[in-house]
C-alpha cells in the first residue's frame, strides 16, 4: 500500500498525447522581435551561482580547446611529417625520440582533456537549465493556483496549460542547449576568423566571402522551410483532430454506417499533409545541395590557393591543415547559429508569456481570519459576472442563515443559485452589498482561511486520477485511514469501495472514469464529510444518484447537517422538503421564502414547480 503521506499524483493527462501536443505547439509559437524577454529569466538563473560559474569556466575551456585543435593538427604535420622541422617544435612537450608517436600521444591527451571539459560544460548547463525550468514551472503553477476566476474567464484553460507546458519546454530547450551552443558558436566564429587571418589574410577573405554566400542563402530560404513546416503541422493537426473525433465517437460512426466517409476524410487530410511535407523536403533537399556545392567549391578553392602558397614556400603544410579546420569550424558554426537564433527568439516569446502569468495578481485578497460561528448573510447583494457586466446575476438579494440551520435554494436555471455559492466561496466579490460569514464582511477575509470553513459537494462530482482513498482524503490534510473509512461509511460509499479490486487503493482512473455517476457522487460526499467544516454547500449533491442511493445519502445528510450551516441547491424538490427554509430565486431576485408547505399554500413560482414535479412523479 502506498505511503499515505505521499502527495497525490498530479498527472492528469496521457503521456504520449502530452508530448505530441507539446511538440506540435512548439512549432507554432510566435517569436519575439528581440532577445530582451530572456533577461526576465535571470532571477531564476542567479539562484544557482555555483552551477553558472562552473558552466562559464568549462565553456571557456572547451572553446579554447576547440580553437586549439587546428594548432595541434598543424604541429603534427609540421613537426611529425616534415623534413624541415620549424623551431617551435622544440618547445612542444613531446618526446621527439619516439618520432611521430610522441605527437599522437599529445593528441590523445588533448582529446581526453577536451572530452572532460566538454562533458563538464554540458553537465553544468544542463543541470542549471533543468533546475531553472523546474523552478519556473513551479512558480507559474503556484501563481495560477491563487489567481481569481476572473483571470480564467479572460484566458482560456487550454492556453494556460500550453504556457505551463509548451512555453516552459521552449525555455528549457534554450537554457539547457541553445544558449550554450550560441555562446560556444560565437566564440568559435570569432576565434576561428581571427586565427584564419593570422595564418593567411588572403585565405581568410576567401572564407568570409564563401561563408557570407552560405549565410545569405540560408537567411532567404529558412523562412520558406519554416512556413512549409508549420503548414505541415497544421495539416497533421487537422488529420489528428478528425481521427480523434471519429475514434472518440466510434459507436456513433458505426451506428450511422459512416466508416467510409471518415476513412475518406482522414485519407484526404493525410494526403494534404504529405503534399506539404513533400514540398518542404524538396526545398530542404535543394538547399542542402546548393550549400554542399558552394561549401565544397569553397574548400577546393581554399586548398588550391593554399597548395600554391606551399609550393611557393610562403606557407607550410601545417598552416594549410590548420586553416582548413578553422574554415570548417567558422562556416559550420555560422550556419548553425541561424537556427539557434530562431530558437532563441521563440524562447524569448515564451518567456514573455510566462512572465505575464507571474506578473498577474489575484483580485480576491484579504487578511482577516473568519469567525467560525457559521452564520451566513447576504445584504442587498448585486452582482454581475465580469464577462457579462450588463447581465446581473443577482439583484438586491438579502437573506440570512443561522448556525445549524438548513436552507434550500430553488428556482429555474439561471436564477442565481450557483452564483450565491460563488460569492460565498469568494471566487468573486459582489459589486454592491455585503456577504457575511460569521458576522464578518468576506471582502476583509483571507480567501484560503474563509474556504477552509466550507465543505462543498459539487454537481457532477469532480474527482481526480488516483485511488478512492486519495479522492476522499483530498478533503482534509493529514486524514487517517480510519477517518477516511468513517467518512465513506457516512456517505454510504464504503461497501462499493471495499468491493473494488484493491479496495480503497483501487485506481479509479482519470476523473473517476471507472465509477458510475452515483459512485462518484458518493465519494465526493465522503470528501465533504471528511472536511468537517462548519458550513456545508450542496450543489445538486444527489443529482446523479439512483433512488436507493439517494435515500441512503439523504440519511447521511441528516446526520451531517447537525450543528452545521447548510445551503442546498436542488432542482429536484423532493430533496429539500426537510429544509428549515426554502429560498426561491428567479432572475437573480429573491422571489419568495418559507417552508415547503407555506410556499405551496401561497402559490407562485415554487408552487408551480412543485406541482409540475410531484404530479409528474405521481404519474
Amino acid at each position: 500500500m502506498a505511503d499515505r503521506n505521499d502527495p497525490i499524483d498530479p498527472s492528469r493527462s496521457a503521456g504520449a498525447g502530452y508530448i505530441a501536443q507539446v511538440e506540435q505547439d512548439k512549432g507554432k509559437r510566435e517569436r519575439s522581435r528581440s532577445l530582451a524577454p530572456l533577461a526576465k529569466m535571470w532571477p531564476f538563473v542567479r539562484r544557482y551561482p555555483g552551477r553558472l560559474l562552473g558552466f562559464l569556466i568549462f565553456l571557456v575551456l572547451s572553446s579554447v580547446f576547440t580553437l586549439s585543435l587546428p594548432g595541434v593538427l598543424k604541429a603534427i604535420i609540421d613537426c611529425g611529417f616534415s623534413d624541415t622541422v620549424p623551431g617551435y617544435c622544440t618547445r612542444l612537450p613531446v618526446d621527439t625520440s619516439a618520432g611521430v608517436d610522441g605527437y599522437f600521444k599529445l593528441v590523445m591527451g588533448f582529446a581526453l582533456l577536451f572530452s572532460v571539459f566538454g562533458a563538464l560544460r554540458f553537465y553544468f548547463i544542463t543541470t542549471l537549465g533543468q533546475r531553472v525550468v523546474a523552478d519556473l514551472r513551479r512558480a507559474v503553477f503556484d501563481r495560477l493556483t491563487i489567481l481569481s476566476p476572473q483571470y480564467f474567464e479572460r484566458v482560456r484553460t487550454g492556453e494556460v496549460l500550453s504556457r505551463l507546458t509548451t512555453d516552459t519546454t521552449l525555455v528549457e530547450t534554450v537554457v539547457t542547449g541553445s544558449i550554450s551552443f550560441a555562446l560556444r558558436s560565437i566564440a568559435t566564429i570569432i576565434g576561428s576568423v581571427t586565427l584564419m587571418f593570422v595564418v593567411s589574410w588572403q585565405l581568410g577573405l576567401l572564407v568570409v566571402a564563401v561563408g557570407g554566400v552560405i549565410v545569405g542563402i540560408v537567411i532567404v530560404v529558412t523562412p520558406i522551410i519554416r512556413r512549409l513546416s508549420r503548414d505541415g503541422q497544421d495539416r497533421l493537426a487537422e488529420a489528428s483532430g478528425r481521427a480523434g473525433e471519429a475514434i472518440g465517437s466510434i459507436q456513433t460512426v458505426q451506428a450511422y454506417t459512416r466508416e467510409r466517409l471518415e476513412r475518406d476524410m482522414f485519407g484526404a487530410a493525410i494526403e494534404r499533409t504529405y503534399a506539404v511535407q513533400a514540398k518542404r523536403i524538396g526545398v530542404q533537399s535543394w538547399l542542402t545541395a546548393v550549400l554542399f556545392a558552394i561549401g565544397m567549391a569553397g574548400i577546393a578553392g581554399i586548398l588550391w590557393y593554399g597548395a600554391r602558397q606551399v609550393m611557393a614556400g610562403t606557407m607550410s603544410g601545417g598552416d594549410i591543415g590548420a586553416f582548413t579546420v578553422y574554415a570548417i569550424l567558422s562556416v559550420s558554426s555560422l550556419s548553425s547559429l541561424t537556427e539557434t537564433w530562431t530558437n532563441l527568439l521563440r524562447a524569448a516569446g515564451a518567456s514573455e508569456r510566462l512572465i505575464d502569468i507571474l506578473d498577474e495578481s489575484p483580485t480576491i485578497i484579504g487578511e482577516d481570519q473568519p469567525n467560525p460561528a457559521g452564520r451566513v448573510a447576504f445584504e442587498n447583494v448585486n452582482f454581475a459576472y465580469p464577462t457579462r457586466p450588463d447581465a446581473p446575476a443577482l439583484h438586491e438579494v438579502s437573506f440570512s442563515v443561522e448556525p445549524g440551520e438548513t436552507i434550500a435554494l430553488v428556482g429555474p436555471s439561471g436564477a442565481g443559485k450557483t452564483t450565491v455559492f460563488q460569492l460565498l466561496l469568494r471566487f468573486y466579490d459582489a459589486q454592491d452589498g455585503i456577504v457575511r460569514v460569521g458576522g464578518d464582511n468576506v471582502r476583509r477575509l483571507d480567501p484560503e482561511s474563509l474556504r477552509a470553513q466550507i465543505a462543498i459537494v459539487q454537481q457532477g462530482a469532480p474527482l481526480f486520477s488516483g485511488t478512492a482513498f486519495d479522492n476522499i482524503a483530498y478533503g482534509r490534510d493529514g486524514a487517517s485511514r480510519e477517518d477516511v473509512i468513517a467518512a465513506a461509511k457516512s456517505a454510504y460509499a464504503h461497501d462499493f469501495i471495499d468491493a473494488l479490486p484493491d479496495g480503497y487503493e483501487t485506481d479509479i482512473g482519470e476523473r473517476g472514469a471507472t465509477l458510475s455517476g452515483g459512485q462518484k457522487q458518493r465519494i465526493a460526499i465522503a470528501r465533504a464529510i471528511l472536511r468537517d467544516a462548519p458550513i456545508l454547500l450542496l450543489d445538486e449533491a444527489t443529482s446523479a444518484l439512483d433512488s436507493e442511493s439517494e435515500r441512503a445519502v439523504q440519511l447521511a445528510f441528516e446526520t451531517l447537517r447537525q450543528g452545521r450551516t447548510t445551503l442546498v441547491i436542488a432542482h429536484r424538490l423532493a430533496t429539500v422538503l426537510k429544509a428549515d427554509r426554502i429560498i426561491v430565486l428567479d432572475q437573480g431576485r429573491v422571489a419568495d421564502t418559507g417552508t415547503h408547505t407555506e410556499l405551496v399554500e401561497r402559490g407562485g413560482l415554487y408552487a408551480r414547480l412543485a406541482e409540475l414535479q410531484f404530479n409528474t412523479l405521481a404519474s
Side-chain angles (χ1 to χ4, degrees), residues 153-457:
E153 289 184 2
R154 292 190 285 109
V155 182
R156 293 177 301 170
T157 302
E159 173 62 19
V160 171
L161 293 177
S162 182
R163 293 187 189 188
L164 188 61
T165 54
T166 303
D167 286 334
T168 53
T169 301
L170 283 170
V171 173
E172 176 184 5
T173 301
V174 167
V175 177
T176 58
S178 295
I179 289 180
S180 173
F181 184 79
L183 293 174
R184 186 156 51 93
S185 296
I186 291 171
T188 300
I189 292 169
I190 295 174
S192 296
V193 171
T194 301
L195 293 173
M196 277 193 298
F197 277 88
V198 169
V199 174
S200 171
W201 66 268
Q202 298 96 333
L203 289 177
L205 288 176
L206 181 59
V207 170
V208 169
V210 172
V213 172
I214 290 176
V215 172
I217 293 174
V218 170
I219 290 175
V220 171
V221 177
T222 297
I224 299 174
I225 295 175
R226 190 177 299 116
R227 177 177 56 79
L228 292 172
S229 178
R230 187 175 293 113
D231 288 345
Q233 289 173 336
D234 290 340
R235 300 291 80 73
L236 180 60
E238 176 188 327
S240 300
R242 188 70 203 184
E245 288 182 355
I247 294 173
S249 304
I250 191 63
Q251 293 184 359
T252 302
V253 172
Q254 294 177 347
Y256 281 88
T257 62
R258 305 299 280 174
E259 299 92 335
R260 180 180 297 278
L261 172 65
E262 294 296 338
R263 290 196 297 267
D264 290 344
M265 295 182 68
F266 180 75
I270 288 297
E271 289 304 317
R272 288 193 293 271
T273 302
Y274 169 76
V276 175
Q277 297 290 18
K279 189 174 182 179
R280 175 186 59 81
I281 292 170
V283 174
Q284 284 184 310
S285 300
W286 174 87
L287 177 63
T288 301
V290 170
L291 295 183
F292 187 78
I294 294 174
M296 292 302 295
I299 292 174
I302 292 170
L303 292 176
W304 172 79
Y305 184 84
R308 292 181 63 85
Q309 295 298 310
V310 172
M311 293 172 63
T314 57
M315 293 180 66
S316 69
D319 287 334
I320 289 298
F323 188 93
T324 302
V325 176
Y326 283 132
I328 293 173
L329 285 174
S330 60
V331 174
S332 61
S333 297
L334 187 59
S335 299
S336 300
L337 195 58
T338 57
E339 182 62 28
T340 303
W341 180 258
T342 299
N343 290 336
L344 288 171
L345 290 176
R346 188 173 287 122
S351 300
E352 204 164 12
R353 289 184 290 271
L354 292 169
I355 294 300
D356 284 344
I357 294 178
L358 295 177
D359 287 344
E360 195 76 32
S361 298
T363 57
I364 304 297
I365 56 175
E367 298 180 356
D368 294 352
Q369 298 298 306
N371 184 339
R375 185 177 187 275
V376 172
F378 277 56
E379 301 174 1
N380 300 315
V381 171
N382 293 285
F383 174 74
Y385 287 97
T387 55
R388 304 187 300 275
D390 298 328
L394 294 179
H395 183 72
E396 295 295 327
V397 170
S398 296
F399 65 85
S400 63
V401 190
E402 299 301 323
E405 187 179 14
T406 297
I407 71 161
L409 301 175
V410 302
S413 297
K417 303 183 296 298
T418 300
T419 301
V420 169
F421 281 16
Q422 298 272 306
L423 296 181
L424 190 55
L425 286 160
R426 253 205 110 191
F427 291 148
Y428 301 90
D429 280 332
Q431 283 87 17
D432 294 301
I434 299 176
V435 178
R436 296 187 185 276
V437 170
D440 299 317
N441 187 339
V442 295
R443 281 182 175 273
R444 294 197 292 266
L445 299 180
D446 171 60
E448 186 174 352
S449 299
L450 168 65
R451 293 163 192 163
Q453 304 297 314
I454 301 173
I456 183 170
V457 180

Side-chain angles (χ1 to χ4, degrees), residues 533-549:
I535 299 174
L536 179 64
L537 307 181
L538 305 175
D539 187 356
E540 290 288 344
T542 61
S543 61
L545 301 182
D546 54 62
S547 299
E548 183 177 355
S549 298

Side-chain angles (χ1 to χ4, degrees), residues 60-76 92-94 101-119 195 325-326 329:
V60 171
L61 289 174
S62 61
S63 297
V64 168
F65 268 67
T66 299
L67 294 172
S68 301
L69 177 61
V72 174
L73 177 63
K74 171 182 168 63
I76 293 175
L92 296 176
V94 176
D101 293 350
Y103 293 100
F104 279 99
K105 289 180 181 178
L106 176 64
V107 173
M108 292 177 64
F110 177 90
L112 178 61
L113 287 175
F114 179 76
S115 301
V116 171
F117 292 152
L195 293 173
V325 176
Y326 283 132
L329 285 174

Side-chain angles (χ1 to χ4, degrees), residues 477-497:
D477 286 339
S480 67
R481 185 173 182 82
E482 292 72 20
D483 292 336
V484 169
I485 293 175
K489 288 180 177 178
S490 297
Y492 291 81
H494 174 73
D495 290 342
F496 84 78
I497 294 175

Side-chain angles (χ1 to χ4, degrees), residues 489-529:
K489 288 180 177 178
S490 297
Y492 291 81
H494 174 73
D495 290 342
F496 84 78
I497 294 175
D498 197 48
L500 294 174
D502 295 316
Y504 282 83
E505 302 307 318
T506 301
D507 191 326
I508 62 175
E510 187 175 357
R511 300 179 183 273
T514 63
L515 303 178
S516 69
Q519 290 172 332
K520 287 192 288 186
Q521 196 71 291
R522 278 182 278 174
I523 285 182
I525 292 168
R527 183 166 62 196
I529 291 173

